[in-house]
């Protein structure tokens, strides 16, 4: 089934540890995004990639890094986790950054930093 | 920064009634989109309306857009229990990196 796969589904992580959230899509979409969702704050953009080989910072990029080595994969790395990074993380994609397309979302990763 | 702001934050109605949710935004847009999120799940794209459109329909959904007032509404007719979810508007602007900016959502509860 075409779509976005995120892994892990959930994780409890000790503060200070490094963690990579995985995101893979099989739709050959050029644009990919990472959002975090927190109660009362909606979805906030962390990083994005308009095409393979390029990335950009979103609204809340501090403490996170991304890479886009190929079209399908867009991992999000927390270099040294802090409790404020406790959140639900969603990866999304669309065919291109422009052109009026909607997003396809993954099912999310629930991360708890303790 | 939040571009879209939904109103109300929460809405509870009886099954069969119509549900209306509103979204206001601040800057010029290319299009506005509505998404649904069931509890604990990813968001699902419902409908997209372009800045040169005023109204759009999809099944039981009707979306309006008033660019002069920078506002949009989502109407769900003949609501069902399965419509219980959170609904988000998202704006797609001409500026910057062309990514969606989401509002905080409306929590809709349909009572049987």
């Amino acid at each position: 089934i075409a779509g976005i796969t995120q892994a892990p589904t959930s994780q409890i992580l000790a503060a200070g540890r490094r963690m990579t959230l995985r995101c893979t899509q099989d739709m050959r979409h050029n644009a990919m995004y990472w959002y975090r969702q927190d109660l009362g704050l909606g979805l906030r953009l962390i990083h994005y990639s308009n095409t393979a080989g390029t990335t950009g910072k979103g609204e809340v990029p501090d403490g996170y890094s991304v890479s886009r080595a190929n079209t399908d994969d867009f991992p999000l790395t927390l270099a040294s986790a802090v409790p404020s990074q406790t959140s639900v993380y969603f990866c999304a994609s669309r065919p291109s950054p422009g052109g009026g397309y909607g997003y396809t979302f993954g099912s999310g990763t629930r991360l708890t930093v303790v | 920064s939040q571009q879209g702001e939904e109103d109300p934050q929460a809405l509870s109605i009886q099954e069969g009634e119509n549900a209306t949710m509103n979204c206001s935004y601040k800057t010029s847009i290319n299009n506005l989109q509505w998404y649904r999120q069931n509890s604990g799940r990813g968001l699902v794209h419902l409908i997209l309306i372009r800045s040169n459109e005023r109204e759009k329909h999809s099944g039981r959904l009707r979306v309006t857009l008033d660019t002069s007032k920078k506002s949009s509404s989502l109407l769900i007719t003949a609501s069902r229990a399965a419509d219980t979810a959170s609904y988000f508007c998202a704006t797609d602007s001409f500026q910057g990196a062309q990514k969606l900016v989401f509002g905080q959502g409306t929590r809709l509860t349909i009572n049987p």
Side-chain angles (χ1 to χ4, degrees):
Chain A
I1 298 176
I4 293 181
T5 301
Q6 289 187 240
T9 303
S10 64
Q11 181 76 42
I12 298 174
L13 185 68
R17 297 295 296 270
R18 179 185 179 92
M19 169 127 195
T20 295
L21 308 184
R22 299 187 297 279
C23 174
T24 299
Q25 53 105 356
D26 61 0
M27 300 170 286
R28 308 302 294 172
H29 285 177
N30 283 313
M32 297 188 75
Y33 309 86
W34 275 105
Y35 286 82
R36 58 177 289 174
Q37 184 177 30
D38 303 287
L39 194 63
L41 295 177
L43 283 88
R44 293 180 293 168
L45 181 66
I46 305 171
H47 284 288
Y48 65 92
S49 170
N50 285 339
T51 191
T54 70
T55 62
K57 293 182 179 180
E59 183 184 356
V60 288
D62 294 343
Y64 305 95
S65 64
V66 291
S67 62
R68 187 87 185 276
N70 56 61
T71 297
D72 298 343
D73 301 300
F74 191 43
L76 175 73
T77 297
L78 288 67
S80 179
V82 295
S84 62
Q85 292 177 311
T86 293
S87 186
V88 182
Y89 291 86
F90 288 102
C91 180
S93 72
R94 60 180 173 179
S96 73
Y101 295 102
Y103 283 4
T104 298
F105 277 87
S107 55
T109 293
R110 183 175 295 275
L111 180 66
T112 303
V113 182
V114 297
Chain B
S1 61
Q2 297 296 327
Q3 161 77 311
E5 295 186 2
E6 284 95 338
D7 169 61
Q9 291 187 351
L11 178 63
S12 181
I13 61 174
Q14 295 299 120
E15 193 168 18
E17 295 180 340
N18 296 340
T20 300
M21 290 159 274
N22 302 297
C23 171
S24 60
Y25 58 93
K26 298 173 184 173
T27 63
S28 296
I29 61 171
N30 182 9
N31 64 77
L32 186 145
Q33 305 179 21
W34 286 89
Y35 289 79
R36 183 186 72 231
Q37 183 181 34
N38 291 92
S39 181
R41 309 287 288 275
L43 282 75
V44 174
H45 181 258
L46 294 176
I47 195 166
L48 179 154
I49 186 165
R50 301 185 189 281
S51 60
N52 61 353
E53 297 176 313
R54 292 298 168 257
E55 186 171 313
K56 203 162 183 180
H57 297 254
S58 178
R60 294 184 295 114
L61 305 180
R62 172 178 170 255
V63 170
T64 63
L65 179 64
D66 187 334
T67 53
S68 67
K69 295 181 179 178
K70 292 186 168 60
S71 66
S72 174
S73 67
L74 171 67
L75 169 68
I76 303 174
T77 60
S79 63
R80 305 168 181 169
D83 295 328
T84 294
S86 292
Y87 292 82
F88 295 86
C89 70
T91 53
D92 203 358
S93 74
F94 293 101
Q95 302 168 351
Q98 296 178 299
K99 70 282 187 185
L100 295 183
V101 179
F102 288 82
Q104 295 183 18
T106 293
R107 175 67 189 171
L108 175 65
T109 301
I110 308 299
N111 302 304

